[in-house]
Amino acid sequence: MTSSGYTFILGTWGSDAADIRQVREQVLVSEMGLSRELLELANESQALHVLVYDSGGRVVGAARMQPDGRIDYVAVLRPWRGWTVGGALLGYLHHIAWVRQLEKIWSVVPESARRFFEKNRFLPADEAPPADGFPGQRYTRMVRRPGSESVALH
């Protein structure tokens, strides 16, 4: 998929691990202070990895979503923030969830990213976040109305 000079691909851990690690290292480890161990999952090959490349073929963002709709992270390199890349990544994940007939997508959102998620139609959930080390509050965005084939738009 191409959007505004960016190319979005549904990658795989096997072939795209170097680009995924590059974005994670710069944004999540260096800037946000998350541990590498927290980010490396045993089931990387089962997760959905979306990557964003600029017109020069350079990776500028990445996101990972679990088969159940949990978004582990959305990460965009600093020079490309504020150019709708992160919102487009969330939109792409929403589309994938719709195709896979998921009811909702969700994420554990740190304080610093809450405004971004709220702007992209995620709402705070009453459910407690899982005790897996990711700091933050659980946010949810409906994909389908329960029991319906239609998309939930909020």
Side-chain angles (χ1 to χ4, degrees):
M1 178 176 125
T2 302
S3 174
S4 303
Y6 298 101
T7 301
F8 294 75
I9 66 155
L10 184 55
T12 65
W13 182 249
S15 62
D16 301 302
D19 285 347
I20 294 165
R21 281 193 175 113
Q22 177 186 338
V23 174
R24 288 198 316 207
E25 181 69 30
Q26 192 166 340
V27 177
L28 304 173
V29 176
S30 296
E31 293 179 23
M32 294 183 67
L34 297 176
S35 73
R36 285 178 192 87
E37 294 75 28
L38 181 63
L39 298 170
E40 297 281 336
L41 297 179
N43 64 346
E44 288 284 6
S45 62
Q46 295 173 1
L48 299 165
H49 298 275
V50 178
L51 294 120
V52 183
Y53 294 88
D54 68 9
S55 59
R58 295 173 295 268
V59 65
V60 300
R64 179 176 70 197
M65 185 169 72
Q66 298 301 322
D68 69 353
R70 177 189 175 148
I71 300 170
D72 293 318
Y73 62 81
V74 174
V76 177
L77 300 180
R78 188 177 303 275
W80 288 272
R81 292 182 199 153
W83 295 95
T84 70
V85 174
L89 270 168
L90 284 176
Y92 194 86
L93 293 174
H94 185 270
H95 176 73
I96 291 168
W98 183 80
V99 168
R100 291 177 174 234
Q101 299 184 355
L102 297 178
E103 186 175 307
K104 64 184 175 184
I105 53 179
W106 63 280
S107 188
V108 177
V109 178
E111 178 72 35
S112 61
R114 288 183 184 168
R115 187 172 183 277
F116 166 73
F117 274 83
E118 289 167 357
K119 222 169 75 170
N120 285 282
R121 293 186 247 151
F122 280 75
L123 299 171
D126 292 333
E127 305 165 62
D132 59 5
F134 279 96
Q137 180 178 352
R138 188 173 173 138
Y139 272 66
T140 301
R141 180 177 173 187
M142 296 307 294
V143 176
R144 295 177 181 276
R145 291 185 182 91
S148 171
E149 291 299 311
S150 63
V151 177
L153 296 176
H154 289 251

